[in-house]
Amino acid sequence: MICYKCNHEAGKEKTCPLCGADLSVFQKVIRLSNVYYNDGLQKAEVRNLSGAIISLKKSLKFNKYNIDARNLLGLVYYEMGETVDALSEWVISKSYQEEDNIAGRYLDELRQNRAQLEANNQTIKKYNQALLYCRQDSRDLAIIQLKKVLSLNPKLVKGHQLLALLYMQEDKLDLAKKSLRNAGKIDANNTITLRYLKEVNARLKENSTGKKHKDDDLISYQSGNETIIMPKRFQETSVLSNLVYLFIGLIIGALVIGFLAIPEAEKRMKEEWSQKQQEHNESLAGKDVIIESLEAEIVRLQEELQIALTPKEEEDKLPEQLVAYDMLLSAFLAYATEDYILAGTNLNKVDVNLLTDSAKSMHASLWASIADEYYTTLYNQGYASYEDKNYSDAILKLQEIVNYNIEFQEGYSVYYLAQSYRKNGDLESSRQYYQYVIDHYPGTKRAETAAKYVNAEP
């Protein structure tokens, strides 16, 4: 144990051997924090997530440096769809313990999954909008908005609860019960969910017992949450008659499937296939129009140059411009086949000064469409090569990123480029990139590592 007063390692001693501070109370506080952490862990294992949050918060109240408790609290928040609260706990955990902290891996995975981050951001906005609709008593709009929220983040417990509450106000008790059951699958013992479910069941029971059956030949009784209706005079049938009825039912079922279900399923599959084919053809047609436009631009440029330039100028400039347009056309063709790496590489080779204004606009539009995908794919390939110790290939990929977007991935690309150069035996080339990390990302673990090697001797 570390002494709270002088930070000296005191082991299990009740008194610090260095400064003499009494550690008995401090030890009790640490043990109490661990007790609450274990209780939270047990509750999380049986999906009592709200109970786990209470226990883990108590654990952190006694010892805010309990890294295991804070990381688990972040995981529980994430499982309940509360991504912002989860990120907050992991960031705090990372600030308390930089090394050997699994929270760093959680943060890196979320940071690299930009699509998931964007979906979480949209979830928060749409949920807040649903709350605004509720305050404005626009329940229909709120229900529509919450359905969108749950389609993006189906684990958001408070989203299921609010949707159930709106259904209860609309007297749609079956739908409310379904939403509450979905919330219960995520957090089994959430008190709000259980309270709403109790009210829904009571109202369903009241509605079912309040109905009067006019048919005197029928009787009804309650079995749990279900209402059973049956004839007063019930006569048992023989085994033979039951088999006959079963056989007739199978024949009727087969006929229904043969004449109704199968043709309908085939019709639906044909319609879906036709729609997908149409969308694909429209996408290809759009790309074909772009390519044809670019090819026409090349032909027009050739004609203009033949008229406007002198033979000497035509001889000097025309080949360069044709190369630029050829690279631009190749980029579009690569984009049409979704080869974003080739498309980005060709775009970077285009000298935009040799393009007309319309071609420059097309170049900028294409680059905007592929930039994120190009850099992300290139970074993932470069990082994979780095992890596989293929440093030459990692340098090739990461250098391409750094040349055009040095701050990509918050500086991780330039950091791993420096690491790749050093591990590949080229310490001199790594120095400028280490220095960039030190200057632009001070206080980070990357900057500490860079400081060790920026002035190292070969």
Side-chain angles (χ1 to χ4, degrees):
M1 176 180 292
I2 303 297
C3 176
Y4 67 91
K5 194 171 184 179
C6 65
N7 291 329
H8 180 71
E9 178 62 45
K12 295 183 179 180
E13 298 294 332
K14 293 186 177 180
T15 303
C16 179
L18 184 63
C19 66
D22 184 8
L23 301 178
S24 58
V25 175
F26 186 62
Q27 289 174 342
K28 290 180 180 178
V29 170
I30 297 298
R31 285 197 296 269
L32 192 56
S33 175
N34 291 335
V35 168
Y36 278 116
Y37 164 70
N38 291 330
D39 183 59
L41 180 59
Q42 291 176 354
K43 290 178 178 178
E45 288 175 345
V46 296
R47 300 203 72 81
N48 181 8
L49 302 186
S50 53
I53 288 176
I54 295 174
S55 297
L56 292 171
K57 283 185 175 180
K58 288 182 179 179
S59 174
L60 294 174
K61 183 178 181 181
F62 285 104
N63 180 15
K64 68 178 182 179
Y65 297 106
N66 192 333
I67 300 302
D68 291 334
R70 195 172 293 279
N71 289 340
L72 179 58
L73 180 59
L75 285 174
V76 172
Y77 276 136
Y78 188 78
E79 183 63 19
M80 294 180 67
E82 305 285 352
T83 307
V84 175
D85 292 334
L87 287 172
S88 300
E89 296 299 332
W90 291 334
V91 169
I92 294 173
S93 172
K94 188 69 174 175
S95 67
Y96 285 156
Q97 181 178 317
E98 186 83 14
E99 297 288 342
D100 298 327
N101 192 342
I102 197 172
R105 182 166 66 86
Y106 298 154
L107 292 171
D108 287 340
E109 289 179 357
L110 282 176
R111 188 186 297 115
Q112 292 175 7
N113 193 345
R114 294 184 175 272
Q116 183 63 37
L117 286 176
E118 180 61 26
N120 292 333
N121 186 39
Q122 291 297 322
T123 299
I124 296 170
K125 292 180 181 179
K126 292 182 183 296
Y127 180 79
N128 292 335
Q129 184 64 47
L131 287 176
L132 179 61
Y133 287 145
C134 291
R135 297 188 183 100
Q136 296 172 350
D137 201 27
S138 300
R139 290 196 288 267
D140 292 340
L141 294 176
I143 289 173
I144 294 172
Q145 198 72 4
L146 283 172
K147 287 181 178 179
K148 294 179 181 178
V149 169
L150 295 175
S151 67
L152 293 172
N153 187 359
K155 292 185 177 181
L156 187 62
V157 173
K158 63 183 182 182
H160 289 290
Q161 292 172 341
L162 181 57
L163 182 60
L165 191 60
L166 291 170
Y167 281 140
M168 291 165 64
Q169 291 180 332
E170 295 288 327
D171 205 29
K172 299 177 180 179
L173 300 180
D174 291 331
L175 293 176
K177 190 172 183 178
K178 182 179 179 181
S179 294
L180 292 172
R181 284 178 174 173
N182 290 334
K185 292 176 182 177
I186 303 167
D187 185 7
N189 291 328
N190 189 291
T191 54
I192 296 176
T193 301
L194 295 176
R195 180 158 54 86
Y196 288 173
L197 191 58
K198 182 179 179 181
E199 182 177 348
V200 168
N201 287 332
R203 289 171 60 178
L204 284 170
K205 184 176 181 180
E206 180 182 349
N207 291 345
S208 63
T209 55
K211 294 180 181 179
K212 294 182 179 180
H213 300 286
K214 295 182 180 180
D215 193 342
D216 293 334
D217 292 332
L218 299 176
I219 60 173
S220 65
Y221 62 92
Q222 194 73 19
S223 176
N225 294 327
E226 305 293 336
T227 300
I228 308 300
I229 302 174
M230 62 179 293
K232 286 183 178 180
R233 291 176 288 276
F234 179 75
Q235 182 178 0
E236 292 187 1
T237 58
S238 65
V239 176
L240 180 60
S241 61
N242 286 335
L243 292 175
V244 171
Y245 293 148
L246 178 61
F247 182 70
I248 294 174
L250 290 174
I251 294 176
I252 294 174
L255 292 174
V256 169
I257 293 174
F259 287 101
L260 296 178
I262 294 178
E264 183 65 24
E266 291 179 352
K267 180 181 178 182
R268 186 167 59 252
M269 291 178 63
K270 289 179 180 179
E271 290 177 352
E272 292 177 356
W273 171 256
S274 178
Q275 183 179 358
K276 291 181 179 180
Q277 187 69 23
Q278 183 179 357
E279 293 175 355
H280 180 69
N281 291 338
E282 289 176 355
S283 175
L284 291 179
K287 293 176 181 178
D288 288 342
V289 169
I290 295 174
I291 294 171
E292 290 175 1
S293 174
L294 187 59
E295 290 175 339
E297 182 70 17
I298 294 175
V299 173
R300 187 185 64 78
L301 177 65
Q302 291 174 337
E303 294 175 351
E304 288 181 359
L305 290 175
Q306 289 175 356
I307 296 173
L309 299 178
T310 64
K312 179 59 177 174
E313 292 173 329
E314 182 176 351
E315 181 181 352
D316 292 341
K317 293 185 178 180
L318 182 58
E320 296 178 2
Q321 290 182 310
L322 290 178
V323 169
Y325 274 88
D326 183 59
M327 284 291 103
L328 186 57
L329 178 59
S330 298
F332 269 98
L333 291 172
Y335 171 70
T337 59
E338 299 183 357
D339 188 349
Y340 300 111
I341 292 294
L342 180 59
T345 302
N346 289 338
L347 278 182
N348 286 333
K349 294 178 180 179
V350 175
D351 186 354
V352 293
N353 296 322
L354 298 174
L355 304 178
T356 63
D357 291 340
S358 59
K360 289 178 182 178
S361 176
M362 295 174 70
H363 179 280
S365 176
L366 179 59
W367 182 250
S369 300
I370 69 167
D372 287 342
E373 189 71 29
Y374 170 66
Y375 285 132
T376 300
T377 305
L378 207 59
Y379 175 79
N380 291 337
Q381 292 179 357
Y383 181 74
S385 297
Y386 175 81
E387 288 289 297
D388 293 338
K389 298 182 180 181
N390 186 1
Y391 301 118
S392 298
D393 186 66
I395 291 171
L396 186 66
K397 299 288 195 309
L398 297 172
Q399 187 72 65
E400 181 74 12
I401 299 174
V402 170
N403 287 344
Y404 297 96
N405 190 358
I406 195 170
E407 295 183 356
F408 185 72
Q409 289 287 356
E410 299 181 0
Y412 275 95
S413 55
V414 68
Y415 170 74
Y416 285 120
L417 177 60
Q419 289 283 79
S420 297
Y421 270 123
R422 179 179 63 83
K423 293 183 178 183
N424 202 40
D426 190 356
L427 183 60
E428 188 63 33
S429 297
S430 68
R431 296 185 194 278
Q432 59 174 320
Y433 301 115
Y434 278 134
Q435 189 62 50
Y436 183 89
V437 173
I438 295 171
D439 295 340
H440 291 81
Y441 302 97
T444 63
K445 182 63 178 177
R446 288 167 287 156
E448 294 179 7
T449 303
K452 295 177 182 179
Y453 299 111
V454 67
N455 294 320
E457 295 296 329

